[in-house]
């Protein structure tokens, strides 16, 4: 490994677990290096805090709006950047009149008349980057690594040309280090399942919600007269109004499992990503699963999975961990 990359490697993989600021900071610098031309003829390449802050906002926005991942060990005092971003997300939901998550890259803050709020958020992120992050990232065990120069007043980062091109050439490797360390940190303060898959899916722009139609044939086993009833209100559901709901939210589980799926009226299928199910619904879901297993053909993959979910008590376990 090149000496310069070795320094980055050390800083990324050994930085402390206070919060994940150093992850967004380093990731933004690497992403900006990718845009530098190989033929650049300046000796010093300058990155602006404004561009860095916008990338930090993008990373945190996507992790928060889809999965509400916690970014520091202190639940009572979340990192201030996160507070600003959550407030921007709230404004976004209000403007859209929907809590449906949307990737940052797809949002036109101008059209939503949120450009002022957006710019204010960027400014606040810059303040924290200047105060707490930019210089701390260079320090490990009280050694300062000479990987870039800073002008905190002007909000600029200065790289030697060769260094920035080395970053660019090794960007895939560095993104892998950063995501690995970030996942490690997130696993320290989040109890939701599939953290590494969530981090990767966001990075690869690969958050697909697949059709749940393939579960109909199992869910239908509960309704012999082919009149499907809503899990929540108990009323019959017209075909045009039928939807399949994750009782423990999809954003938490990031998985479609028969043991967690029920029929419900479309309008009751909460889009809200972090709704906490009532205990009585959890008990009814457990009973539903016992009854459903009896009706299923055994020796199929779905049967085995449902049986395991019952044996391992997944409904209660995941509900308790989601409740926190
Ligand atoms: Zn209903």
């Amino acid at each position: 490994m090149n000496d310069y990359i070795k320094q980055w490697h050390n800083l990324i993989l050994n930085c402390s677990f206070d919060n994940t600021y150093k992850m967004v900071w380093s990731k933004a610098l690497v992403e900006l290096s990718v845009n530098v031309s190989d033929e650049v003829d300046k000796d010093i390449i300058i990155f602006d805090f404004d561009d860095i802050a916008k990338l930090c906002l993008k990373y945190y926005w996507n992790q928060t709006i889809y999965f509400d991942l916690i970014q520091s060990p202190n639940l009572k005092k979340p990192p201030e950047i996160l507070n600003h971003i959550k407030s921007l997300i709230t404004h976004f939901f209000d403007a859209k009149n929907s809590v449906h998550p949307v990737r940052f890259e797809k949002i036109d803050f101008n059209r939503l008349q949120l450009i002022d709020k957006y710019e204010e958020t960027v400014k606040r992120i810059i303040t924290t980057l200047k105060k707490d992050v930019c210089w701390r990232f260079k320090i490990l065990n009280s050694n300062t690594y000479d990987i870039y120069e800073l002008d905190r007043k002007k909000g600029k980062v200065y790289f030697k040309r060769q260094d920035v091109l080395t970053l660019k050439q090794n960007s895939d490797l560095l993104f892998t280090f950063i995501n690995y360390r970030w996942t490690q940190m997130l696993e320290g303060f989040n109890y939701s399942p599939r953290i590494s898959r969530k981090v990767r899916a966001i990075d690869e722009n690969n958050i697909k919600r697949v059709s749940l139609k393939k579960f109909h044939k199992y869910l239908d086993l509960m309704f012999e007269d082919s009149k499907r009833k809503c899990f929540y209100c108990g009323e019959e559901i017209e075909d045009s109004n039928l939807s399949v709901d994750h009782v423990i939210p999809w954003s938490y589980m990031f998985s479609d499992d028969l043991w967690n799926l029920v029929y419900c009226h479309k309008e009751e299928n909460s889009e809200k990503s972090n709704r906490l199910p009532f205990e009585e619904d959890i008990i009814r879901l457990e009973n539903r699963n016992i009854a459903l297993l009896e009706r299923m053909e055994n020796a199929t993959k779905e049967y085995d999975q449902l049986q395991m979910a019952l044996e391992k008590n997944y409904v209660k376990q995941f509900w308790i961990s989601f409740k926190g």
Side-chain angles (χ1 to χ4, degrees):
M1 209 188 298
N2 166 303
D3 217 46
Y4 185 67
I5 297 301
K6 213 174 235 165
Q7 296 186 61
W8 277 74
H9 174 265
N10 279 345
L11 289 168
I12 294 162
L13 291 193
N14 298 299
C15 69
S16 62
F17 268 45
D18 305 338
N19 58 49
T20 58
Y21 284 168
K22 287 177 183 171
M23 300 293 103
V24 285
W25 169 259
S26 55
K27 197 165 177 170
L29 294 177
V30 177
E31 186 166 340
L32 288 173
S33 80
V34 173
N35 301 327
V36 175
S37 159
D38 290 336
E39 273 88 53
V40 64
D41 58 2
K42 298 184 199 104
D43 290 330
I44 301 293
I45 313 293
I46 305 168
F47 292 161
D48 201 296
F49 272 50
D50 197 59
D51 297 322
I52 298 167
K54 284 172 183 164
L55 290 174
C56 295
L57 173 52
K58 173 179 84 168
Y59 307 139
Y60 277 146
W61 175 284
N62 289 335
Q63 282 199 1
T64 303
I65 201 164
Y66 282 99
F67 302 123
D68 200 16
L69 291 172
I70 297 163
Q71 304 288 347
S72 90
N74 188 348
L75 267 177
K76 288 196 189 102
K77 204 172 150 280
E80 35 186 19
I81 291 184
L82 257 293
N83 289 338
H84 304 320
I85 291 173
K86 282 188 174 178
S87 147
L88 186 62
I89 289 175
T90 305
H91 287 298
F92 169 75
F93 284 156
D94 289 346
K96 297 274 281 185
N97 199 18
S98 154
V99 289
H100 190 76
V102 178
R103 284 189 78 84
F104 180 80
E105 299 90 315
K106 291 193 176 156
I107 297 166
D108 183 345
F109 286 99
N110 241 322
R111 213 169 51 85
L112 292 166
Q113 299 185 326
L114 287 174
I115 197 72
D116 291 348
K117 300 261 185 249
Y118 167 72
E119 277 164 5
E120 190 186 307
T121 309
V122 171
K123 273 204 194 96
R124 287 177 159 170
I125 294 173
I126 290 173
T127 306
T128 305
L129 293 177
K130 281 183 181 172
K131 191 175 60 172
D132 286 333
V133 191
C134 62
W135 57 277
R136 281 214 174 107
F137 179 70
K138 294 172 65 174
I139 301 173
L140 183 65
N141 304 328
S142 51
N143 291 323
T144 301
Y145 286 55
D146 186 24
I147 50 171
Y148 50 69
E149 297 293 326
L150 288 165
D151 185 332
R152 285 160 71 187
K153 238 192 191 133
K154 286 189 186 153
K156 309 269 186 205
V157 190
Y158 303 92
F159 285 93
K160 292 179 197 135
R161 177 177 51 201
Q162 191 45 53
D163 289 347
V164 99
L165 293 178
T166 303
L167 272 191
K168 179 183 179 176
Q169 283 153 14
N170 292 277
S171 56
D172 284 346
L173 195 64
L174 289 161
F175 285 138
T176 305
F177 295 155
I178 294 165
N179 274 358
Y180 171 74
R181 185 60 169 176
W182 200 344
T183 302
Q184 240 183 4
M185 290 184 176
L186 291 172
E187 283 178 350
F189 7 100
N190 288 268
Y191 294 94
S192 76
R194 303 185 180 86
I195 303 276
S196 78
R197 231 166 85 189
K198 288 170 178 169
V199 170
R200 220 172 48 225
I202 282 169
D203 227 38
E204 294 167 356
N205 192 0
N206 184 23
I207 307 173
K208 284 197 206 93
R209 296 192 80 150
V210 296
S211 163
L212 299 173
K213 260 215 164 103
K214 63 176 178 186
F215 292 99
H216 283 196
K217 67 175 174 183
Y218 306 110
L219 297 175
D220 282 343
L221 294 171
M222 297 304 293
F223 308 100
E224 277 149 8
D225 52 4
S226 79
K227 286 178 183 156
R228 293 153 166 164
K229 294 208 175 69
C230 172
F231 181 76
Y232 298 105
C233 71
E235 300 291 318
E236 197 180 326
I237 314 173
E238 299 289 315
D239 286 353
S240 61
N241 200 8
L242 183 74
S243 77
V244 175
D245 186 45
H246 298 78
V247 178
I248 299 172
W250 175 88
S251 62
Y252 184 78
M253 297 301 303
F254 197 35
S255 172
D256 304 316
D257 308 287
L258 180 57
W259 63 262
N260 190 34
L261 296 173
V262 297
Y263 281 136
C264 78
H265 288 102
K266 255 185 198 152
E267 64 270 19
E268 279 162 273
N269 191 336
S270 170
E271 274 195 325
K272 196 158 172 54
S273 53
N274 50 5
R275 164 188 50 103
L276 176 67
F278 296 116
E279 183 162 19
E280 56 180 65
D281 289 336
I282 290 301
I283 293 164
R284 285 195 304 117
L285 180 62
E286 287 182 315
N287 292 331
R288 192 288 308 264
N289 285 340
I290 293 166
L292 180 56
L293 190 70
E294 279 172 14
R295 293 168 192 227
M296 283 173 69
E297 248 175 80
N298 64 19
T300 64
K301 195 180 100 199
E302 287 72 21
Y303 181 94
D304 291 347
Q305 283 174 350
L306 185 57
Q307 189 178 42
M308 182 156 93
L310 280 162
E311 274 170 15
K312 305 255 180 206
N313 230 339
Y314 281 172
V315 173
K316 191 77 43 72
Q317 298 286 352
F318 281 112
W319 181 64
I320 289 168
S321 79
F322 177 55
K323 260 198 325 179

